[in-house]
Amino acid sequence: MKRLWLLLPLLLAACAPKKAEAPAPEAPSPLRVEVRAVAAMRGVLERESKASATLQAERDSLVAAGASGRVVRTLPAGSQVQAGEGVVFLDPAPFQEALEAARLNLKQAEANLERARNQLAGNRKALAAQLQAAETQLQAARRRYEEGKALLEAGALAPLDLKALEANLHQAESAYENAREALARLERAEDIRLLELQVEAARLQVRQAERNLKESVVRAPFAGEVVEVFVKEGEFLGVGSRAFRLATTDRLLARLYLPPEKAQALTPETPFTLRQNGKETPAALLRKTDLPGQTRLVEVVLKPQDPLLPGPAEVRYRERVAEGILLPAGAVRAEGGQGVVYLLEGGRARRQPVRLVAQEGNRAVVEGLPEGAKVIYPVPEGLRDGDTVEVVP
């Protein structure tokens, strides 16, 4: 009986129904990393640069006097003048007197020339008659001399008489040469030419006197503002001395000096901004020197779009850094001593080595990527080559 009680639990366990076996757990699916992607596009990387500039008048001139004289009146500094308007006035009386004297000299020279021309017409006939008479006398003297020699050979004439005939012949030859030279000189009109030169000189003196009278008013060569006057009323102003300074204060140019390598990259399309006393205005490149000066810098001249004040200003412009494939700087990571990006290919992240060319702010230029490639950005922490990724907006 006791043994039966011991076997009863075993019999009950054997008769109890068996429970269904639990299914084996499935293998976990790989995790998908949510990422965003940007397209690798070709472009130019730029940075904003600053430089100091000086605003100066577009035209600034120290106007000198063209004649000497005593100053009788000046315009005050700050006067706005037009081109050709007088600024410094000299006493005109001496210049007017010199002009009148030059005109009188011209009239006298012209009168002398006219008188000489009239005399020339009358003298030509008289000289021609004198030449003809001298020629006739010469022929007669030559004929008597030849006859005298024949008589001397025949013994009908004394040698002393022949000498007298020879002297008369020489005298007639000299008279003929003088008459011919006088007529030739008259025909050459040497005296007339000399008088004509005197008339030309007198005309030149008149023009000089007229110019001096005009220069008695020192005028503005262009429209602008009289910045400074260097003489006062009553003072003597010499020719070539500074009279006043004229500038176009309403049209200013900005001048700055840059190293040659930076100035070389600037083009007329480069946008510039001038900033002065809180005011900003666009500016355009007007010109730049080809070679650096003694300071080894290149002068760059800008033309502001809006008016500013003379003096210092700040220039801002976009400076070209590099050109190539542009990416956000955060898309490039340093792994294993080289730059890498992660491309999006077939739902997976593929590690791609690249060379970082340049970086400015949050932009970078790289080499080693085809244009249009999908680059993961921002790069999730712990992303590895071959990870399964899912692009989210």
Side-chain angles (χ1 to χ4, degrees), residues 87-342:
V87 178
V88 176
F89 300 85
L90 304 179
D91 185 5
F95 303 101
Q96 293 172 346
E97 294 171 358
L99 177 58
E100 290 300 324
R103 287 173 176 172
L104 289 175
N105 290 335
L106 175 60
K107 290 181 180 179
Q108 182 178 359
E110 290 175 342
N112 293 337
L113 176 62
E114 184 66 20
R115 184 175 61 253
R117 284 175 176 172
N118 294 334
Q119 291 176 353
L120 176 63
N123 292 341
R124 180 179 286 108
K125 293 181 179 180
L127 291 177
Q130 290 178 6
L131 178 62
Q132 186 177 5
E135 185 179 5
T136 301
Q137 292 176 1
L138 175 62
Q139 292 175 355
R142 183 177 292 118
R143 185 172 58 254
R144 286 194 295 269
Y145 177 70
E146 294 296 333
E147 291 175 351
K149 289 197 299 183
L151 293 174
L152 180 64
E153 292 177 356
L157 185 68
L160 185 60
D161 294 334
L162 183 63
K163 288 290 184 180
L165 293 175
E166 184 179 5
N168 292 337
L169 175 61
H170 292 325
Q171 185 176 1
E173 288 175 345
S174 177
Y176 173 78
E177 290 297 330
N178 291 337
R180 190 179 66 173
E181 177 63 24
L183 181 59
R185 185 170 60 252
L186 183 67
E187 295 294 339
R188 291 196 301 268
E190 293 179 353
D191 296 337
I192 297 296
R193 181 54 184 163
L194 180 60
L195 293 175
E196 288 176 346
L197 292 177
Q198 292 177 357
V199 171
E200 291 297 325
R203 289 174 180 169
L204 180 62
Q205 291 176 355
V206 170
R207 290 196 295 268
Q208 181 67 41
E210 290 174 344
R211 183 165 56 251
N212 289 340
L213 179 60
K214 185 178 179 180
E215 292 290 346
S216 66
V217 179
V218 188
R219 305 177 184 275
F222 53 86
E225 178 182 341
V226 180
V227 179
E228 186 177 3
V229 180
F230 300 107
V231 291
K232 299 178 182 179
E233 296 180 6
E235 294 182 346
F236 183 85
L237 181 63
V239 60
S241 301
R242 297 185 306 172
F244 61 93
R245 178 185 173 194
L246 184 68
T248 53
T249 55
D250 58 333
R251 297 192 303 274
L252 302 180
L253 297 180
R255 286 179 168 83
L256 60 150
Y257 297 87
L258 298 175
E261 60 276 7
K262 289 191 175 184
Q264 185 179 7
L266 301 179
T267 65
E269 289 74 27
T270 303
F272 294 90
T273 301
L274 286 172
R275 186 174 185 180
Q276 184 187 63
N277 300 329
K279 181 180 179 180
E280 292 187 354
T281 180
L285 177 64
L286 185 62
R287 62 180 180 272
K288 58 183 178 180
T289 55
D290 296 331
L291 298 174
Q294 296 181 352
T295 59
R296 301 185 181 276
L297 297 176
V298 173
E299 182 188 49
V300 179
V301 181
L302 307 179
K303 187 173 184 179
Q305 179 176 321
D306 299 321
L308 295 173
L309 299 176
E314 182 184 67
V315 180
R316 296 184 180 183
Y317 62 96
R318 303 296 299 176
E319 182 181 1
R320 178 172 175 167
V321 179
E323 182 178 0
I325 299 299
L326 282 176
L327 291 176
V332 185
R333 307 183 66 178
E335 295 181 1
Q338 66 178 354
V340 298
V341 298
Y342 284 88

